[in-house]
Amino acid sequence: MNLGFDITALPATEHVRSGDQAPAFSKPVVTAEFWEETSLQTLLEDGPVVLVFHAMDGDFPATYTFQGIVEAGWADWDRAQVVGVSISTPYEHRDFQREWDGFEAFSFVSDPACELGAAYGATHELDGMSITEHRPAVFVIDTEQAVQYAWVAEEYPAFPPYDDIEAVVTGL
Amino acid sequence: MSDPAMTVYRLQACPFCERVVRTLTDMGIEYESRFVEARHSRRDAVKRIAGVRTVPVLVDHATGVTMAESANIVEYLERAYGESDPQAEEPTATADGGDV
């Protein structure tokens, strides 16, 4: 019996890269208290944004991604805010925040049609399902809306290189 | 996104909230929506802002007025911003006793 993960290579993708202007968006953003239509521009008024694209809320890919973020101490950052992005609805995001220790420190974009995935070049076709969701990816966006760092998964599952991202944020 | 004049704390498909939103729409007043949770116990933001856990709650950023109860909100809006009201800029004026 094989209990290990099967790692699948993902097709190459043209994605947003460091130095690019981050594609603008306006989507429902879920915090621990309410959800509200919010633009990237509005988010950036509070400082740089670390956009974390992840699999839909519910199973281990999304959960491990954010448990890694909690363990890395990103909730304590004062120089950037962590914003998750998935196809999950605001209610699912709210349940996800509540279910796991520390997740309420982060806000989550609800992008059911995966429009951000398409705009940033980071989508994932869920095998065997007619579902397009976000490919694991992280974009560090400064207050000028410039992408300072981009990581986009080349295999699945994949988890962000936490140390690399932290180094970029520390240098903002 | 510019800052709308008002914020409405609301609940999806809540008829009392819809009443307030309909009034704002009819009056051409821009507002932003903040959806909160169905369970009263989870509406800490509303409690902190308005002192109650019921929705809708309206925050009028121009006047600083924050209020709950849809009937009160609609009455406030009509009094403060209604077309036929000559005292439109004085939402606290109540001495006229009603419509002219």
Side-chain angles (χ1 to χ4, degrees):
Chain A
M1 192 163 55
N2 178 13
L3 293 176
F5 298 140
D6 280 337
I7 305 286
T8 308
L10 296 174
T13 182
E14 282 298 312
H15 61 79
V16 167
R17 293 178 184 278
S18 178
D20 291 347
Q21 179 83 353
F25 61 83
S26 182
K27 289 285 171 193
V29 173
V30 182
T31 68
E33 297 201 309
F34 51 77
W35 42 290
E36 176 179 37
E37 182 80 5
T38 309
S39 65
L40 174 60
Q41 203 177 354
T42 299
L43 289 171
L44 291 172
E45 287 171 7
D46 293 332
V49 168
V50 179
L51 274 188
V52 179
F53 285 20
H54 57 90
M56 67 182 114
D57 309 355
D59 211 335
F60 83 89
T63 307
Y64 282 13
T65 298
F66 271 85
Q67 284 177 333
I69 286 171
V70 169
E71 281 168 23
W74 293 9
D76 302 326
W77 281 350
D78 54 7
R79 62 180 71 220
Q81 51 188 320
V82 177
V83 180
V85 183
S86 83
I87 61 171
S88 299
T89 65
Y91 297 113
E92 290 161 341
H93 277 325
R94 195 63 199 94
D95 287 345
F96 186 57
Q97 286 175 315
R98 195 181 285 119
E99 185 174 7
W100 301 99
D101 281 348
F103 287 16
E104 288 191 330
F106 310 109
S107 49
F108 290 86
V109 174
S110 178
D111 182 26
C114 204
E115 290 170 358
L116 270 68
Y120 283 74
T123 60
H124 178 228
E125 305 296 327
L126 194 60
D127 186 52
M129 291 287 160
S130 55
I131 290 177
T132 301
E133 64 171 354
H134 303 78
R135 185 189 287 221
V138 175
F139 301 94
V140 178
I141 304 168
D142 70 18
T143 52
E144 304 293 307
Q145 208 175 315
V147 176
Q148 291 293 336
Y149 171 90
W151 167 81
V152 177
E154 294 175 351
E155 54 190 31
Y156 193 82
F159 299 93
Y162 300 103
D163 292 344
D164 293 356
I165 295 161
E166 184 152 2
V168 171
V169 168
T170 304
L172 283 173
Chain B
M1 197 162 59
S2 61
D3 294 332
M6 308 212 183
T7 300
V8 183
Y9 288 83
R10 59 193 288 198
L11 186 62
Q12 195 176 10
C14 148
F16 303 103
C17 304
E18 298 306 316
R19 184 180 173 199
V20 167
V21 166
R22 200 163 52 239
T23 303
L24 288 166
T25 305
D26 289 348
M27 298 177 82
I29 297 170
E30 287 198 23
Y31 61 93
E32 61 183 0
S33 295
R34 288 182 168 178
F35 282 82
V36 299
E37 302 200 44
R39 268 192 228 177
H40 280 66
S41 61
R42 290 176 175 166
R43 295 187 196 151
D44 290 340
V46 178
K47 170 74 175 172
R48 195 173 61 246
I49 289 157
V52 297
R53 290 185 191 274
T54 59
V55 290
V57 162
L58 178 88
V59 180
D60 182 343
H61 300 291
T63 60
V65 167
T66 298
M67 61 194 312
E69 301 291 339
S70 62
N72 292 348
I73 294 170
V74 169
E75 187 187 344
Y76 163 74
L77 289 171
E78 286 173 348
R79 186 173 297 175
Y81 297 98
E83 283 177 11
S84 61
D85 191 332
Q87 301 188 357
E89 296 306 313
E90 296 177 42
T92 54
T94 55
D96 61 350
D99 291 336
V100 177

